[in-house]
Amino acid sequence: MYGFLVSLADHYSRPRGRADTSGMNRHPTRVWLTVGSLLTLGYFLVPPGAVKVACWAGLMTAAAAAVVVGVRIYRPRAPLAWYLIAAGQLAFAAGDAVGYYDLWVRQIEPPFPSLADYLTLPFFPLLVTGLLLLLRRRSPGRDLPSLIDATILATGAGLLSWIFLIVPLVRFPGLSPLARVVAIAYPVGDLLVLAVASRLWSSAGPRSRSYWLLTLGLVPLLVVDTLYGLLSLFGTWTYAGPLDLFWVAFYLCLGAAALHPSMRSLSEPVPTPVPRLTVRRRALLTAATLMAPAMLVIQSLRHQPLDIGVNAVGTVVLFVLLTARMTSLAGQAARQQERELALAKVLDAAQQERIRLAADLHDGPVQELTALSYGLERVDRRLETQGPDAARVLLGEQKIQLTEVTRTLRNLLSELRPPALDEHGLAGALKLYGGAFAKQANLNISVDAQVEHRPAPEVETIVYRVTQEALTNVSKHAQARHVWIRLAAEEHSVDLTIRDDGIGFDPVQAARLLKDGHYGLAGMRERVELGGGRLDLDSRPGEGTTIGVALPPRYVPSVV
């Protein structure tokens, strides 16, 4: 496992296309994996006793410490989320340390529930809250379809957990009411983790290295917690057995995720996607919705009392969620039809613009250049017949005409691609335009443009034009005082966010604006999507408007 995680961290820490010569990005991860592996070996090799307890507790505590160190090094936007995750890990470590100390040092079987359980249980709400904060920062928009999908999966898993874990715990002989509540709290905590993990797995944005380490690390945690619950019911769980490697995998992945430089991206806002019902997603949702009847079949085959009430509640919940999901799909289909209409209008407008430019070129610069050609022939003849002085006067007239032609051509070229992009780059062009527009429209405009990797010229033009149109809309309709523009152009993505503090509006009205002949928002969306990207609009009356744009760094034409 150590070799796999080291190779994974090395590969993900190295910038693509460039040699990693310093090794500084890999150093914290390598140190953590080395320490974690040594503690794991100590845990499995030494006999039961204080050293074994220290190795296990040290591994869990070191994972929490790695999270704190990662926050201190990389300064993510949501440090509280990571600190909550670290606090949950410390609670888990404290619970296991107390339980194993009683078992291996004091050599007594601790009662249930014991101090170890009370220390361990906070792990679940702390971990879930931390993940929710990361998810909230990562997906600030409203992504109802993904939320519904995650809830359907969690509900289906909850029905399975009810059959195999919760009901046996409730009916387990000899347990006090408090013990039953504590016992049920464990599978319920895992269900909460599964629900948040499902939502995180379906979230938008780039799948960074820290993202994969954290989200995939949750899988062995959920697996081993479920196995622990099942085997404990039958009394066949073995302490310090091979199944503990699942917990080890979670601890190592958690520490590696926090110590990787890309951990900052987990709390960076990204545009909300349109979830597609892929074959895999449909299969998972179908399996989850069939859990209610499957639950009755399983209980009948096992000759258990049928939990009609729980099954009815689960069926109603799944039915409501599926209805909401179908309603969302119907809304997506309607919006897709509107976007296709907008695309047709935008393409028609683009074609008309090309026709206009061709006419302007033909009637303007082409005619003027033709006249200039004749004028140069006259200069040549006058030079031969009347001498240099007479030719010089005529040549001066041609220079004036050439200057005028050049000015006209520059104006036409600026309509195709702003010259500021070539002169100052994308970041400089946005700052210059933002400053000029702020003075013109009496707005306070803040531009934060970070260009680590310069995008293709076509992508730069899209970003610049969208910014122009967005600021024009703010000036005309938003009644805003402040506008914040943030651009992050990295190796694999170009993200633009434009936010204002204006009066906002109901996004549903955007469809009516299109029907009334206002193509500003539709034009921006189709310009972005024709470039292979995505534009998201988030606005509420009285709460301002936020436009999020995500583009690939290379122009990838797409058909909406």
Side-chain angles (χ1 to χ4, degrees), residues 118-431:
Y118 299 131
L119 290 173
T120 300
L121 283 176
F123 165 76
F124 295 103
L126 289 170
L127 175 63
V128 168
T129 305
L131 293 177
L132 282 175
L133 287 177
L134 286 178
L135 185 59
R136 180 60 182 168
R137 292 300 299 264
R138 182 178 177 87
S139 303
R142 293 168 291 181
D143 187 7
L144 184 60
S146 293
L147 178 61
I148 293 174
D149 291 349
T151 308
I152 290 174
L153 292 176
T155 303
L159 291 174
L160 279 180
S161 180
W162 178 269
I163 296 174
F164 293 105
L165 285 177
I166 297 178
V167 169
L169 289 171
V170 170
R171 296 171 178 168
F172 197 83
L175 288 181
S176 66
L178 177 61
R180 296 183 195 279
V181 171
V182 173
I184 294 172
Y186 283 100
V188 170
D190 284 326
L191 287 175
L192 292 175
V193 174
L194 175 61
V196 178
S198 300
R199 179 65 183 87
L200 190 59
W201 289 328
S202 62
S203 65
R207 298 296 193 258
S208 66
R209 319 318 179 194
S210 182
Y211 169 89
W212 286 118
L213 288 167
L214 178 61
T215 56
L216 292 181
L218 295 173
V219 175
L221 172 68
L222 295 171
V223 170
V224 72
D225 277 359
T226 302
L227 292 175
Y228 174 76
L230 290 173
L231 295 177
S232 296
L233 283 172
F234 298 104
T236 56
W237 174 262
T238 302
Y239 291 100
L243 290 180
D244 283 354
L245 287 173
F246 285 86
W247 275 312
V248 171
F250 168 67
Y251 305 146
L252 293 180
C253 286
L254 175 61
L259 290 173
H260 193 275
S262 66
M263 62 94 72
R264 289 174 295 187
S265 66
L266 280 172
S267 53
E268 292 290 334
V270 295
T272 304
V274 176
R276 298 180 179 179
L277 275 178
T278 60
V279 174
R280 182 179 62 180
R281 187 181 286 246
R282 288 199 301 269
L284 288 173
L285 294 178
T286 301
T289 54
L290 291 176
M291 283 302 134
M295 171 183 168
L296 295 178
V297 173
I298 293 173
Q299 288 184 319
S300 177
L301 293 176
R302 299 177 67 182
H303 304 291
Q304 293 179 339
L306 300 181
D307 292 306
I308 302 298
V310 174
N311 189 275
V313 172
T315 301
V316 170
V317 170
L318 289 172
F319 176 78
V320 171
L321 291 173
L322 282 175
T323 302
R325 190 66 170 97
M326 294 303 104
T327 303
S328 175
L329 283 176
Q332 289 180 23
R335 289 191 295 270
Q336 180 71 14
Q337 187 175 9
E338 293 173 358
R339 290 163 61 187
E340 290 175 355
L341 174 62
L343 175 60
K345 291 183 177 296
V346 170
L347 290 177
D348 181 67
Q351 181 63 23
Q352 295 300 321
E353 184 67 11
R354 293 189 184 97
I355 294 173
R356 184 189 67 81
L357 286 173
D360 288 345
L361 285 170
H362 180 271
D363 297 338
V366 172
Q367 300 295 334
E368 293 171 0
L369 287 173
T370 301
L372 184 62
S373 175
Y374 292 144
L376 291 176
E377 292 180 3
R378 291 172 56 201
V379 170
D380 186 55
R381 290 195 300 270
R382 186 169 294 186
L383 184 63
E384 293 178 355
T385 59
Q386 300 181 22
D389 292 336
R392 188 174 297 110
V393 175
L394 186 57
L395 186 60
E397 297 175 359
Q398 305 308 308
K399 287 182 179 179
I400 295 174
Q401 188 175 356
L402 180 60
T403 301
E404 185 66 22
V405 174
T406 303
R407 184 187 63 80
T408 303
L409 285 173
R410 286 184 181 275
N411 291 337
L412 291 173
L413 288 173
S414 66
E415 297 183 29
L416 299 175
R417 176 170 170 83
L421 291 174
D422 295 320
E423 296 172 6
H424 305 285
L426 180 56
L430 289 181
K431 291 177 181 178

